[in-house]
Amino acid sequence: MFKKILIANRGEIAARIMRTCRELGIKTVGVYSEADADAVHVKQADESYLLGGPRVTESYMKIDKILEAAHQSKAEAIHPGYGLLSENAEFARRCEEEGFVFIGPSPEVISEMGSKIASRKAMEKAGVPVVPGVTRSLADAEDAIEAAETIGYPVMLKASAGGGGIGMQVVYSADEVHKAFEGNQKRASDFFGDGAMYIEKLVEKPRHIEIQILADNEGNTVYLWERECSIQRRHQKVLEEAPSSFISEETRRKMGEAAVKAAKSIGYKNAGTIEFLVDADQNFYFLEMNTRLQVEHPITEEITGLDLVKEQLHIAAGKTLSFAQEDVKRNGHAIEVRIYAEDPKTFFPSPGTITKLELPEGPGIRHELAVHSESVVTPFYDPMIAKLVVKGTDRSEAIDRLKEALSNYHIEGIKTNIPMLQEVAAHEAFHVGDTTTEFVEKYLTKKKQKQTK
Amino acid sequence: MTEITASMAGSVWKVLVKAGDEVEEDQDIAILESMKMEIPIATDFDGVVKEVRVNEGEFVNEGDVIAVIE
């Protein structure tokens, strides 16, 4: 096992990785920006290195600076966390070239799965169902219209390099393609440096259900069940649960096996997630693969009893998986909610200083956070400041615990989305499992309109 | 003359007007980026842009003047 690793990330995920490292007796190296000099993850690391200015482009995205810190600290491996450089093939390649183990899959796989067009092609080849679509890069609006007409409206116009909803739009007619194409292409180009666009059939009333996999260097690949992440706002997940309240045992098994097939077909190593869209008839379609640890990994840990970071470290250190598919158990029900520093009504960011932080305690409650009662939440990074994870023996108990925990979660000094999470937790549609990706728009927006009348 | 100010701290992602432009109520004059979100800053009346006080990429605090409109 490694003696020392560098964590190329910040916030709760850096703190989360450091926790497992401490348990395994691995020394940790933190990195930070000027804005994060007093951050929790810096204090928790055994040693830390300043990367540069507050913006991610001046600090956490600076590959040279991170590698310099890794050399200085004599770290053996680099864990990228999620976001930032975690799915950057160039970073993974540079880590390897400079003698560090990158805790994740190979640069080639990151690159292939990072392109929505290339990943679709790879999945089609592997026999994994994909949403009907035209996967070549579309030249212009006319080309897009021709493609849309072969699939049939409504379609989703998507950026090949996209994510988080950027460069993505539902279009219902040729006229709308005309209006949407250039703007989306430009945005994709501005955000991702790649304006390639493609078109997919719109899956109506979809659920977002993803399968966690683990794969070692010997080709042993297992699936750790699913997470349902349908409750989203602007394509960003808000609440995730495991297992899904929707799919049958048969669909669950088929999705798991498809995910394993997908991972094996591309020679995947380490932890990864295959995201699927599932329609009302439980047909599932490959959406994308995340070649890293995910924000919502704790709910899988809660129902399987595994530590995914520990498994990642073991795989990266060359160990063989210590269990087979039939050993992976499923126990209870877990829900995660993301606490965002934002106005719950306008959804505007709410940076500032936390003046009071009280966390709920009790059975089945877990926190993942890297803020305290004097932390400054800056405007430079993602608004997610904490994750609340609850577990119950079944879904009903997990929901009860979520409601109770949210009512005892107090943050002052900044606004948070806790009132919105309470609305979700209390909503009848959530209780009965009516959790398509349209949930927020269908139920919460409607309620707001009623209130303003 | 009325100053249009930033509603929160963030970076100026886009400046959409220049001095001399005529603007209408609810028209976006700039887009701020804060916590990876884009926030449009709009004028709430018709007028002419007298002065733009920010540049793209610049960091502004809540209350900083984005533009002056007459």
Side-chain angles (χ1 to χ4, degrees):
Chain A
M1 183 44 74
F2 306 113
K3 288 188 176 65
K4 189 190 267 189
I5 72 164
L6 182 143
I7 294 134
N9 216 298
R10 63 178 301 281
E12 69 86 19
I13 193 60
R16 161 73 191 90
I17 296 161
M18 287 173 195
R19 196 170 69 222
T20 292
C21 287
R22 277 196 298 274
E23 197 185 313
L24 295 176
I26 301 169
K27 295 277 183 204
T28 57
V29 182
V31 288
Y32 63 100
S33 70
E34 285 167 5
D36 273 343
D38 295 322
V40 169
H41 80 274
V42 181
K43 294 191 173 83
Q44 289 188 349
D46 291 302
E47 57 189 297
S48 290
Y49 292 80
L50 175 67
L51 297 173
R55 293 180 178 86
V56 292
T57 49
E58 300 164 339
S59 52
Y60 298 103
M61 296 298 281
K62 285 269 188 201
I63 294 176
D64 288 338
K65 285 273 186 189
I66 292 168
L67 291 173
E68 197 183 307
H71 281 296
Q72 273 187 32
S73 64
K74 298 190 168 54
E76 294 157 274
I78 297 179
H79 196 307
Y82 55 68
L84 298 171
L85 292 168
S86 63
E87 291 180 288
N88 184 310
E90 173 64 14
F91 181 54
R93 188 172 294 116
R94 290 281 309 279
C95 288
E96 285 183 1
E97 281 170 5
E98 299 203 20
F100 304 105
V101 174
F102 178 78
I103 301 171
S106 69
E108 293 74 26
V109 166
I110 295 174
S111 186
E112 188 177 19
M113 292 297 106
S115 158
K116 292 209 164 62
I117 294 175
S119 64
R120 265 187 68 110
K121 282 182 183 161
M123 292 304 118
E124 278 174 345
K125 202 173 153 195
V128 176
V130 297
V131 180
V134 172
T135 55
R136 65 187 163 76
S137 176
L138 300 164
D140 51 27
E142 290 307 322
D143 192 15
I145 289 165
E146 207 173 292
E149 279 165 4
T150 64
I151 307 163
Y153 291 101
V155 294
M156 184 81 97
L157 190 60
K158 284 181 161 184
S160 179
I166 292 164
M168 193 192 278
Q169 194 169 343
V170 178
V171 284
Y172 292 88
S173 65
D175 195 34
E176 287 186 17
V177 176
H178 266 297
K179 285 179 191 154
F181 191 87
E182 275 182 32
N184 277 291
Q185 194 176 41
K186 189 177 179 309
R187 285 172 68 80
S189 192
D190 287 348
F191 269 84
F192 311 114
D194 177 1
M197 302 295 294
Y198 71 106
I199 263 178
E200 271 182 3
K201 178 85 183 154
L202 180 73
V203 177
E204 300 199 67
K205 292 187 181 167
R207 286 167 186 262
H208 178 123
I209 299 176
E210 59 191 28
I211 306 287
Q212 175 71 54
I213 60 113
L214 282 177
D216 68 17
N217 301 284
E218 313 295 321
N220 301 306
T221 308
V222 296
Y223 63 91
L224 308 181
W225 315 107
E226 81 282 6
R227 296 185 286 259
E228 176 157 358
C229 314
S230 299
I231 299 184
Q232 305 181 357
R233 186 181 61 75
R234 293 179 190 153
H235 305 287
Q236 294 288 351
K237 295 162 190 170
V238 172
L239 178 148
E240 305 99 356
E241 59 183 312
S244 162
S245 63
F246 176 65
I247 58 172
S248 66
E249 283 299 332
E250 192 193 352
T251 306
R252 177 169 287 125
R253 181 183 52 77
K254 281 185 185 167
M255 288 178 73
E257 288 171 359
V260 167
K261 191 158 71 172
K264 283 191 166 181
S265 75
I266 55 168
Y268 197 86
K269 286 173 195 165
N270 215 281
T273 298
I274 321 276
E275 298 193 338
F276 292 100
L277 278 183
V278 183
D279 70 15
D281 299 321
Q282 302 208 9
N283 297 307
F284 58 90
Y285 306 97
F286 171 81
L287 189 63
E288 64 178 348
M289 181 168 194
N290 292 133
T291 54
R292 53 169 166 82
L293 191 67
Q294 284 196 276
V295 176
E296 58 272 27
H297 76 276
I299 54 173
T300 296
E301 296 184 323
E302 290 299 322
I303 65 159
T304 60
L306 292 164
D307 177 334
L308 291 188
V309 175
K310 192 184 282 182
E311 297 303 329
Q312 284 193 296
L313 292 166
H314 279 159
I315 293 167
K319 291 192 178 181
T320 306
L321 276 180
S322 61
F323 51 87
Q325 187 63 55
E326 57 270 24
D327 303 320
V328 183
K329 304 294 179 221
R330 201 172 80 229
N331 174 26
H333 195 99
I335 303 173
E336 175 185 284
V337 288
R338 302 183 184 197
I339 314 285
Y340 287 114
E342 66 180 19
D343 186 308
K345 291 197 178 102
T346 62
F347 301 132
F348 276 11
S350 180
T353 302
I354 295 174
T355 53
K356 184 179 170 187
L357 175 67
E358 278 178 14
L359 301 176
E361 289 174 9
I365 294 176
R366 166 176 169 181
H367 301 285
E368 294 294 342
L369 76 170
V371 289
H372 51 73
S373 58
E374 287 162 4
S375 288
V376 177
V377 180
T378 77
F380 300 107
Y381 314 111
D382 191 279
M384 194 183 78
I385 51 167
K387 302 183 310 203
L388 166 66
V389 184
V390 294
K391 189 191 177 187
T393 51
D394 56 21
R395 189 169 188 266
S396 172
E397 187 177 63
I399 293 174
D400 287 344
R401 284 184 171 163
L402 174 66
K403 287 198 279 193
E404 178 65 15
L406 283 170
S407 68
N408 289 303
Y409 207 119
H410 299 294
I411 300 184
E412 289 177 12
I414 56 166
K415 291 177 188 167
T416 74
N417 65 332
I418 289 174
M420 182 223 182
L421 296 171
Q422 287 177 308
E423 267 189 78
V424 177
H427 206 287
E428 182 56 23
F430 173 60
H431 286 221
V432 300
D434 180 12
T435 50
T436 70
T437 55
E438 291 148 7
F439 184 92
V440 171
E441 197 182 331
K442 193 172 166 185
Y443 298 114
L444 303 192
T445 315
K446 199 180 279 178
K447 191 168 173 230
K448 283 209 180 68
Q449 282 167 349
K450 273 186 196 162
Q451 283 170 344
T452 54
K453 267 180 192 169
Chain B
M1 291 233 262
T2 305
E3 293 176 335
I4 307 293
T5 57
S7 48
M8 72 199 63
S11 301
V12 180
W13 190 58
K14 289 267 185 249
V15 175
L16 304 169
V17 294
K18 57 183 186 312
D21 284 357
E22 283 186 24
V23 289
E24 293 175 0
E25 184 183 346
D26 289 336
Q27 185 177 330
D28 293 342
I29 59 164
I31 299 173
L32 298 187
E33 190 187 358
S34 182
M35 294 182 149
K36 293 173 77 183
M37 228 182 110
E38 294 156 34
I39 316 293
I41 304 295
T43 166
D44 47 10
F45 53 88
D46 297 352
V48 175
V49 178
K50 203 74 190 154
E51 192 186 347
V52 176
R53 291 206 190 154
V54 294
N55 296 306
E56 287 181 7
E58 193 177 311
F59 187 81
V60 292
N61 282 306
E62 185 179 347
D64 284 357
V65 178
I66 303 285
V68 181
I69 295 183
E70 191 169 29

